[in-house]
Amino acid sequence: MAALDTNILVRYLVRDDARQLALAHGLMARAIAAGDTLFVPSTVVIELEWVLRASFGFAKPNILTAMTALLSAVELSIESEPAIEVALRLYEQGSADFADCVHIGLAHQAGEMPLWTFDKACAKVDGASLLTT
């Protein structure tokens, strides 16, 4: 199984470069035809949210739609997918950064809760706790 970098998924979702989009589609089509999946590290998922938001101005609902589509793509195998699903639900419901929600999701998947933080916004998310004096 081969893995994908963030920029491949960006081209696939944003469709801003026709040549790179065609290459990304071809790679995914070959994976499907071969019965293979393409691995997406959880760090790529975190970076993807940041790029979509910061570089392309995606609003939260659009990010959630894009991420949900990736999770349902049969040609992709998302690292720690259950944790990413938890993170998307937390991100949708709250005001914490997506990366913080992924941290909470991964801690939840590992059975290591709560996620202690000094970040007040993160601490408002179910599964995180503010460390105070």
Side-chain angles (χ1 to χ4, degrees):
M1 175 185 325
L4 296 178
D5 190 13
T6 307
N7 51 34
I8 302 292
L9 295 174
V10 168
R11 296 291 86 75
Y12 186 76
L13 293 169
V14 176
R15 303 173 188 273
D16 63 335
D17 182 309
R19 185 183 65 77
Q20 289 184 350
L21 175 61
L23 291 168
H25 272 286
L27 177 63
M28 292 184 189
R30 286 190 302 278
I32 291 170
D36 293 335
T37 57
L38 298 163
F39 180 72
V40 179
S42 56
T43 53
V44 165
V45 175
I46 293 170
E47 185 181 26
L48 178 62
E49 181 278 333
W50 180 83
V51 169
L52 293 176
R53 178 177 39 82
S55 297
F56 292 96
F58 275 41
K60 185 187 272 192
N62 302 104
I63 291 169
L64 289 164
T65 299
M67 296 290 194
T68 301
L70 291 178
L71 287 172
S72 65
V74 296
E75 65 271 25
L76 301 179
S77 173
I78 311 292
E79 179 183 26
S80 302
E81 188 167 328
I84 300 298
E85 290 172 346
V86 167
L88 285 172
R89 283 194 305 277
L90 295 172
Y91 181 61
E92 180 178 29
Q93 298 166 0
S95 61
D97 293 337
F98 179 69
D100 290 332
C101 293
V102 173
H103 303 324
I104 295 166
L106 289 168
H108 179 268
Q109 180 177 304
E112 304 294 340
M113 298 295 284
L115 175 76
W116 288 102
T117 183
F118 291 119
D119 183 332
K120 291 178 182 175
C122 178
K124 292 178 183 178
V125 177
D126 188 34
S129 292
L130 187 66
L131 183 60
T132 59
T133 57

PDB file of all heavy atoms in Angstrom, residues 1-2 4 9 12 27-40 67-78 81:
ATOM      1  N   MET A   1       0.849  -1.174   0.000  1.00  0.00           N
ATOM      2  CA  MET A   1       0.000   0.000   0.000  1.00  0.00           C
ATOM      3  C   MET A   1       0.894   1.238   0.000  1.00  0.00           C
ATOM      4  O   MET A   1       1.815   1.344   0.792  1.00  0.00           O
ATOM      5  CB  MET A   1      -0.898  -0.018   1.251  1.00  0.00           C
ATOM      6  CG  MET A   1      -1.729   1.206   1.412  1.00  0.00           C
ATOM      7  SD  MET A   1      -2.735   1.353   2.941  1.00  0.00           S
ATOM      8  CE  MET A   1      -3.241  -0.282   3.320  1.00  0.00           C
ATOM      9  N   ALA A   2       0.609   2.146  -0.871  1.00  0.00           N
ATOM     10  CA  ALA A   2       1.331   3.420  -0.925  1.00  0.00           C
ATOM     11  C   ALA A   2       0.579   4.450  -0.089  1.00  0.00           C
ATOM     12  O   ALA A   2      -0.589   4.270   0.256  1.00  0.00           O
ATOM     13  CB  ALA A   2       1.445   3.882  -2.370  1.00  0.00           C
ATOM     14  N   LEU A   4      -0.354   8.753   0.705  1.00  0.00           N
ATOM     15  CA  LEU A   4      -0.585  10.032   0.040  1.00  0.00           C
ATOM     16  C   LEU A   4      -0.126  11.192   0.911  1.00  0.00           C
ATOM     17  O   LEU A   4      -0.328  11.193   2.124  1.00  0.00           O
ATOM     18  CB  LEU A   4      -2.072  10.225  -0.261  1.00  0.00           C
ATOM     19  CG  LEU A   4      -2.716   9.247  -1.230  1.00  0.00           C
ATOM     20  CD1 LEU A   4      -4.198   9.561  -1.382  1.00  0.00           C
ATOM     21  CD2 LEU A   4      -2.017   9.276  -2.577  1.00  0.00           C
ATOM     22  N   LEU A   9      -4.201  15.185  -1.893  1.00  0.00           N
ATOM     23  CA  LEU A   9      -5.599  15.327  -1.474  1.00  0.00           C
ATOM     24  C   LEU A   9      -6.128  16.733  -1.724  1.00  0.00           C
ATOM     25  O   LEU A   9      -7.299  16.905  -2.076  1.00  0.00           O
ATOM     26  CB  LEU A   9      -5.741  14.941  -0.001  1.00  0.00           C
ATOM     27  CG  LEU A   9      -5.453  13.473   0.305  1.00  0.00           C
ATOM     28  CD1 LEU A   9      -5.478  13.219   1.799  1.00  0.00           C
ATOM     29  CD2 LEU A   9      -6.424  12.563  -0.424  1.00  0.00           C
ATOM     30  N   TYR A  12      -7.055  16.905  -5.304  1.00  0.00           N
ATOM     31  CA  TYR A  12      -8.249  16.083  -5.501  1.00  0.00           C
ATOM     32  C   TYR A  12      -9.510  16.813  -5.050  1.00  0.00           C
ATOM     33  O   TYR A  12     -10.548  16.748  -5.702  1.00  0.00           O
ATOM     34  CB  TYR A  12      -8.074  14.767  -4.739  1.00  0.00           C
ATOM     35  CG  TYR A  12      -9.161  13.756  -4.971  1.00  0.00           C
ATOM     36  CD1 TYR A  12      -9.222  13.030  -6.145  1.00  0.00           C
ATOM     37  CD2 TYR A  12     -10.119  13.501  -4.003  1.00  0.00           C
ATOM     38  CE1 TYR A  12     -10.213  12.089  -6.368  1.00  0.00           C
ATOM     39  CE2 TYR A  12     -11.114  12.562  -4.202  1.00  0.00           C
ATOM     40  CZ  TYR A  12     -11.158  11.865  -5.389  1.00  0.00           C
ATOM     41  OH  TYR A  12     -12.143  10.946  -5.594  1.00  0.00           O
ATOM     42  N   LEU A  27      -3.967   8.083 -10.166  1.00  0.00           N
ATOM     43  CA  LEU A  27      -3.415   7.284  -9.068  1.00  0.00           C
ATOM     44  C   LEU A  27      -4.528   6.553  -8.322  1.00  0.00           C
ATOM     45  O   LEU A  27      -4.428   5.356  -8.041  1.00  0.00           O
ATOM     46  CB  LEU A  27      -2.625   8.178  -8.115  1.00  0.00           C
ATOM     47  CG  LEU A  27      -2.033   7.511  -6.873  1.00  0.00           C
ATOM     48  CD1 LEU A  27      -1.003   6.461  -7.261  1.00  0.00           C
ATOM     49  CD2 LEU A  27      -1.423   8.560  -5.960  1.00  0.00           C
ATOM     50  N   MET A  28      -5.592   7.268  -8.020  1.00  0.00           N
ATOM     51  CA  MET A  28      -6.704   6.650  -7.287  1.00  0.00           C
ATOM     52  C   MET A  28      -7.412   5.603  -8.142  1.00  0.00           C
ATOM     53  O   MET A  28      -7.790   4.536  -7.635  1.00  0.00           O
ATOM     54  CB  MET A  28      -7.650   7.723  -6.788  1.00  0.00           C
ATOM     55  CG  MET A  28      -7.006   8.567  -5.709  1.00  0.00           C
ATOM     56  SD  MET A  28      -8.129   9.768  -5.020  1.00  0.00           S
ATOM     57  CE  MET A  28      -6.993  10.719  -4.017  1.00  0.00           C
ATOM     58  N   ALA A  29      -7.575   5.874  -9.433  1.00  0.00           N
ATOM     59  CA  ALA A  29      -8.213   4.903 -10.333  1.00  0.00           C
ATOM     60  C   ALA A  29      -7.373   3.620 -10.425  1.00  0.00           C
ATOM     61  O   ALA A  29      -7.925   2.510 -10.430  1.00  0.00           O
ATOM     62  CB  ALA A  29      -8.400   5.514 -11.715  1.00  0.00           C
ATOM     63  N   ARG A  30      -6.045   3.777 -10.494  1.00  0.00           N
ATOM     64  CA  ARG A  30      -5.173   2.587 -10.534  1.00  0.00           C
ATOM     65  C   ARG A  30      -5.285   1.788  -9.241  1.00  0.00           C
ATOM     66  O   ARG A  30      -5.275   0.553  -9.263  1.00  0.00           O
ATOM     67  CB  ARG A  30      -3.728   2.993 -10.803  1.00  0.00           C
ATOM     68  CG  ARG A  30      -3.471   3.422 -12.242  1.00  0.00           C
ATOM     69  CD  ARG A  30      -1.995   3.585 -12.556  1.00  0.00           C
ATOM     70  NE  ARG A  30      -1.308   4.546 -11.704  1.00  0.00           N
ATOM     71  CZ  ARG A  30      -1.308   5.870 -11.880  1.00  0.00           C
ATOM     72  NH1 ARG A  30      -1.996   6.401 -12.875  1.00  0.00           N
ATOM     73  NH2 ARG A  30      -0.620   6.657 -11.065  1.00  0.00           N
ATOM     74  N   ALA A  31      -5.383   2.474  -8.116  1.00  0.00           N
ATOM     75  CA  ALA A  31      -5.529   1.770  -6.832  1.00  0.00           C
ATOM     76  C   ALA A  31      -6.823   0.971  -6.808  1.00  0.00           C
ATOM     77  O   ALA A  31      -6.833  -0.195  -6.395  1.00  0.00           O
ATOM     78  CB  ALA A  31      -5.482   2.766  -5.678  1.00  0.00           C
ATOM     79  N   ILE A  32      -7.897   1.596  -7.254  1.00  0.00           N
ATOM     80  CA  ILE A  32      -9.197   0.903  -7.277  1.00  0.00           C
ATOM     81  C   ILE A  32      -9.135  -0.300  -8.208  1.00  0.00           C
ATOM     82  O   ILE A  32      -9.572  -1.398  -7.852  1.00  0.00           O
ATOM     83  CB  ILE A  32     -10.323   1.871  -7.691  1.00  0.00           C
ATOM     84  CG1 ILE A  32     -10.563   2.910  -6.589  1.00  0.00           C
ATOM     85  CG2 ILE A  32     -11.614   1.106  -7.995  1.00  0.00           C
ATOM     86  CD1 ILE A  32     -11.489   4.040  -6.993  1.00  0.00           C
ATOM     87  N   ALA A  33      -8.576  -0.108  -9.395  1.00  0.00           N
ATOM     88  CA  ALA A  33      -8.496  -1.196 -10.377  1.00  0.00           C
ATOM     89  C   ALA A  33      -7.664  -2.368  -9.855  1.00  0.00           C
ATOM     90  O   ALA A  33      -7.965  -3.528 -10.149  1.00  0.00           O
ATOM     91  CB  ALA A  33      -7.909  -0.671 -11.688  1.00  0.00           C
ATOM     92  N   ALA A  34      -6.646  -2.061  -9.075  1.00  0.00           N
ATOM     93  CA  ALA A  34      -5.779  -3.116  -8.522  1.00  0.00           C
ATOM     94  C   ALA A  34      -6.325  -3.699  -7.221  1.00  0.00           C
ATOM     95  O   ALA A  34      -5.742  -4.631  -6.672  1.00  0.00           O
ATOM     96  CB  ALA A  34      -4.374  -2.555  -8.288  1.00  0.00           C
ATOM     97  N   GLY A  35      -7.421  -3.143  -6.727  1.00  0.00           N
ATOM     98  CA  GLY A  35      -7.960  -3.608  -5.457  1.00  0.00           C
ATOM     99  C   GLY A  35      -7.147  -3.147  -4.269  1.00  0.00           C
ATOM    100  O   GLY A  35      -7.228  -3.729  -3.191  1.00  0.00           O
ATOM    101  N   ASP A  36      -6.365  -2.104  -4.462  1.00  0.00           N
ATOM    102  CA  ASP A  36      -5.513  -1.563  -3.398  1.00  0.00           C
ATOM    103  C   ASP A  36      -6.176  -0.346  -2.760  1.00  0.00           C
ATOM    104  O   ASP A  36      -7.122   0.229  -3.294  1.00  0.00           O
ATOM    105  CB  ASP A  36      -4.154  -1.131  -3.963  1.00  0.00           C
ATOM    106  CG  ASP A  36      -3.322  -2.304  -4.448  1.00  0.00           C
ATOM    107  OD1 ASP A  36      -3.527  -3.422  -3.950  1.00  0.00           O
ATOM    108  OD2 ASP A  36      -2.491  -2.078  -5.338  1.00  0.00           O
ATOM    109  N   THR A  37      -5.631   0.031  -1.634  1.00  0.00           N
ATOM    110  CA  THR A  37      -6.019   1.284  -1.010  1.00  0.00           C
ATOM    111  C   THR A  37      -4.778   2.142  -0.849  1.00  0.00           C
ATOM    112  O   THR A  37      -3.650   1.640  -0.868  1.00  0.00           O
ATOM    113  CB  THR A  37      -6.683   1.069   0.374  1.00  0.00           C
ATOM    114  OG1 THR A  37      -5.773   0.348   1.206  1.00  0.00           O
ATOM    115  CG2 THR A  37      -7.984   0.313   0.260  1.00  0.00           C
ATOM    116  N   LEU A  38      -4.999   3.432  -0.706  1.00  0.00           N
ATOM    117  CA  LEU A  38      -3.920   4.386  -0.497  1.00  0.00           C
ATOM    118  C   LEU A  38      -3.998   4.871   0.942  1.00  0.00           C
ATOM    119  O   LEU A  38      -5.062   5.276   1.417  1.00  0.00           O
ATOM    120  CB  LEU A  38      -4.058   5.551  -1.481  1.00  0.00           C
ATOM    121  CG  LEU A  38      -3.946   5.146  -2.953  1.00  0.00           C
ATOM    122  CD1 LEU A  38      -4.499   6.235  -3.862  1.00  0.00           C
ATOM    123  CD2 LEU A  38      -2.509   4.823  -3.296  1.00  0.00           C
ATOM    124  N   PHE A  39      -2.885   4.811   1.633  1.00  0.00           N
ATOM    125  CA  PHE A  39      -2.816   5.150   3.054  1.00  0.00           C
ATOM    126  C   PHE A  39      -2.719   6.657   3.237  1.00  0.00           C
ATOM    127  O   PHE A  39      -1.943   7.333   2.553  1.00  0.00           O
ATOM    128  CB  PHE A  39      -1.592   4.467   3.662  1.00  0.00           C
ATOM    129  CG  PHE A  39      -1.412   4.729   5.137  1.00  0.00           C
ATOM    130  CD1 PHE A  39      -2.255   4.150   6.064  1.00  0.00           C
ATOM    131  CD2 PHE A  39      -0.387   5.547   5.577  1.00  0.00           C
ATOM    132  CE1 PHE A  39      -2.081   4.383   7.419  1.00  0.00           C
ATOM    133  CE2 PHE A  39      -0.199   5.786   6.927  1.00  0.00           C
ATOM    134  CZ  PHE A  39      -1.049   5.203   7.856  1.00  0.00           C
ATOM    135  N   VAL A  40      -3.514   7.178   4.179  1.00  0.00           N
ATOM    136  CA  VAL A  40      -3.479   8.599   4.518  1.00  0.00           C
ATOM    137  C   VAL A  40      -3.123   8.712   6.004  1.00  0.00           C
ATOM    138  O   VAL A  40      -3.945   8.383   6.864  1.00  0.00           O
ATOM    139  CB  VAL A  40      -4.830   9.288   4.238  1.00  0.00           C
ATOM    140  CG1 VAL A  40      -4.773  10.763   4.625  1.00  0.00           C
ATOM    141  CG2 VAL A  40      -5.235   9.132   2.776  1.00  0.00           C
ATOM    142  N   MET A  67     -13.868  16.253   4.494  1.00  0.00           N
ATOM    143  CA  MET A  67     -13.270  15.201   5.328  1.00  0.00           C
ATOM    144  C   MET A  67     -14.171  13.962   5.383  1.00  0.00           C
ATOM    145  O   MET A  67     -13.683  12.835   5.341  1.00  0.00           O
ATOM    146  CB  MET A  67     -13.010  15.718   6.739  1.00  0.00           C
ATOM    147  CG  MET A  67     -12.000  16.817   6.811  1.00  0.00           C
ATOM    148  SD  MET A  67     -10.353  16.211   6.467  1.00  0.00           S
ATOM    149  CE  MET A  67      -9.391  17.570   7.029  1.00  0.00           C
ATOM    150  N   THR A  68     -15.465  14.174   5.466  1.00  0.00           N
ATOM    151  CA  THR A  68     -16.402  13.051   5.487  1.00  0.00           C
ATOM    152  C   THR A  68     -16.329  12.271   4.181  1.00  0.00           C
ATOM    153  O   THR A  68     -16.368  11.034   4.181  1.00  0.00           O
ATOM    154  CB  THR A  68     -17.829  13.561   5.757  1.00  0.00           C
ATOM    155  OG1 THR A  68     -17.836  14.242   7.023  1.00  0.00           O
ATOM    156  CG2 THR A  68     -18.834  12.427   5.781  1.00  0.00           C
ATOM    157  N   ALA A  69     -16.197  12.990   3.065  1.00  0.00           N
ATOM    158  CA  ALA A  69     -16.066  12.322   1.771  1.00  0.00           C
ATOM    159  C   ALA A  69     -14.803  11.478   1.724  1.00  0.00           C
ATOM    160  O   ALA A  69     -14.819  10.350   1.211  1.00  0.00           O
ATOM    161  CB  ALA A  69     -16.069  13.354   0.646  1.00  0.00           C
ATOM    162  N   LEU A  70     -13.705  11.999   2.267  1.00  0.00           N
ATOM    163  CA  LEU A  70     -12.463  11.220   2.283  1.00  0.00           C
ATOM    164  C   LEU A  70     -12.612   9.960   3.126  1.00  0.00           C
ATOM    165  O   LEU A  70     -12.112   8.895   2.764  1.00  0.00           O
ATOM    166  CB  LEU A  70     -11.309  12.068   2.806  1.00  0.00           C
ATOM    167  CG  LEU A  70     -10.843  13.204   1.902  1.00  0.00           C
ATOM    168  CD1 LEU A  70      -9.722  13.975   2.573  1.00  0.00           C
ATOM    169  CD2 LEU A  70     -10.410  12.686   0.543  1.00  0.00           C
ATOM    170  N   LEU A  71     -13.288  10.083   4.265  1.00  0.00           N
ATOM    171  CA  LEU A  71     -13.468   8.916   5.132  1.00  0.00           C
ATOM    172  C   LEU A  71     -14.295   7.828   4.451  1.00  0.00           C
ATOM    173  O   LEU A  71     -14.119   6.644   4.753  1.00  0.00           O
ATOM    174  CB  LEU A  71     -14.123   9.328   6.454  1.00  0.00           C
ATOM    175  CG  LEU A  71     -13.230  10.099   7.417  1.00  0.00           C
ATOM    176  CD1 LEU A  71     -14.038  10.613   8.597  1.00  0.00           C
ATOM    177  CD2 LEU A  71     -12.082   9.242   7.908  1.00  0.00           C
ATOM    178  N   SER A  72     -15.175   8.218   3.548  1.00  0.00           N
ATOM    179  CA  SER A  72     -16.020   7.225   2.892  1.00  0.00           C
ATOM    180  C   SER A  72     -15.430   6.713   1.577  1.00  0.00           C
ATOM    181  O   SER A  72     -16.006   5.820   0.959  1.00  0.00           O
ATOM    182  CB  SER A  72     -17.417   7.803   2.651  1.00  0.00           C
ATOM    183  OG  SER A  72     -17.358   8.877   1.742  1.00  0.00           O
ATOM    184  N   ALA A  73     -14.296   7.257   1.152  1.00  0.00           N
ATOM    185  CA  ALA A  73     -13.671   6.831  -0.102  1.00  0.00           C
ATOM    186  C   ALA A  73     -13.059   5.440   0.061  1.00  0.00           C
ATOM    187  O   ALA A  73     -12.181   5.237   0.898  1.00  0.00           O
ATOM    188  CB  ALA A  73     -12.615   7.842  -0.528  1.00  0.00           C
ATOM    189  N   VAL A  74     -13.524   4.494  -0.738  1.00  0.00           N
ATOM    190  CA  VAL A  74     -13.057   3.112  -0.619  1.00  0.00           C
ATOM    191  C   VAL A  74     -11.591   2.959  -0.993  1.00  0.00           C
ATOM    192  O   VAL A  74     -10.941   2.006  -0.563  1.00  0.00           O
ATOM    193  CB  VAL A  74     -13.930   2.139  -1.452  1.00  0.00           C
ATOM    194  CG1 VAL A  74     -15.353   2.098  -0.941  1.00  0.00           C
ATOM    195  CG2 VAL A  74     -13.882   2.499  -2.926  1.00  0.00           C
ATOM    196  N   GLU A  75     -11.068   3.884  -1.783  1.00  0.00           N
ATOM    197  CA  GLU A  75      -9.675   3.773  -2.206  1.00  0.00           C
ATOM    198  C   GLU A  75      -8.696   4.321  -1.172  1.00  0.00           C
ATOM    199  O   GLU A  75      -7.487   4.223  -1.345  1.00  0.00           O
ATOM    200  CB  GLU A  75      -9.457   4.466  -3.559  1.00  0.00           C
ATOM    201  CG  GLU A  75      -9.664   5.956  -3.558  1.00  0.00           C
ATOM    202  CD  GLU A  75     -11.102   6.394  -3.845  1.00  0.00           C
ATOM    203  OE1 GLU A  75     -12.042   5.621  -3.603  1.00  0.00           O
ATOM    204  OE2 GLU A  75     -11.268   7.524  -4.308  1.00  0.00           O
ATOM    205  N   LEU A  76      -9.209   4.877  -0.076  1.00  0.00           N
ATOM    206  CA  LEU A  76      -8.352   5.452   0.956  1.00  0.00           C
ATOM    207  C   LEU A  76      -8.453   4.670   2.258  1.00  0.00           C
ATOM    208  O   LEU A  76      -9.535   4.247   2.656  1.00  0.00           O
ATOM    209  CB  LEU A  76      -8.732   6.910   1.221  1.00  0.00           C
ATOM    210  CG  LEU A  76      -8.643   7.867   0.033  1.00  0.00           C
ATOM    211  CD1 LEU A  76      -9.070   9.267   0.458  1.00  0.00           C
ATOM    212  CD2 LEU A  76      -7.261   7.882  -0.568  1.00  0.00           C
ATOM    213  N   SER A  77      -7.323   4.529   2.908  1.00  0.00           N
ATOM    214  CA  SER A  77      -7.254   3.940   4.246  1.00  0.00           C
ATOM    215  C   SER A  77      -6.689   5.020   5.163  1.00  0.00           C
ATOM    216  O   SER A  77      -5.516   5.376   5.062  1.00  0.00           O
ATOM    217  CB  SER A  77      -6.344   2.712   4.233  1.00  0.00           C
ATOM    218  OG  SER A  77      -6.144   2.244   5.545  1.00  0.00           O
ATOM    219  N   ILE A  78      -7.540   5.558   6.019  1.00  0.00           N
ATOM    220  CA  ILE A  78      -7.158   6.661   6.892  1.00  0.00           C
ATOM    221  C   ILE A  78      -6.582   6.099   8.190  1.00  0.00           C
ATOM    222  O   ILE A  78      -7.235   5.286   8.864  1.00  0.00           O
ATOM    223  CB  ILE A  78      -8.367   7.572   7.216  1.00  0.00           C
ATOM    224  CG1 ILE A  78      -9.133   7.960   5.955  1.00  0.00           C
ATOM    225  CG2 ILE A  78      -7.932   8.779   8.034  1.00  0.00           C
ATOM    226  CD1 ILE A  78      -8.422   8.870   5.010  1.00  0.00           C
ATOM    227  N   GLU A  81      -8.663   5.916  11.756  1.00  0.00           N
ATOM    228  CA  GLU A  81      -9.950   6.420  11.258  1.00  0.00           C
ATOM    229  C   GLU A  81     -10.991   6.622  12.358  1.00  0.00           C
ATOM    230  O   GLU A  81     -11.680   7.650  12.355  1.00  0.00           O
ATOM    231  CB  GLU A  81     -10.494   5.510  10.157  1.00  0.00           C
ATOM    232  CG  GLU A  81     -11.724   6.095   9.487  1.00  0.00           C
ATOM    233  CD  GLU A  81     -12.093   5.382   8.203  1.00  0.00           C
ATOM    234  OE1 GLU A  81     -11.201   4.886   7.486  1.00  0.00           O
ATOM    235  OE2 GLU A  81     -13.298   5.338   7.909  1.00  0.00           O
TER     236      GLU A  81
END
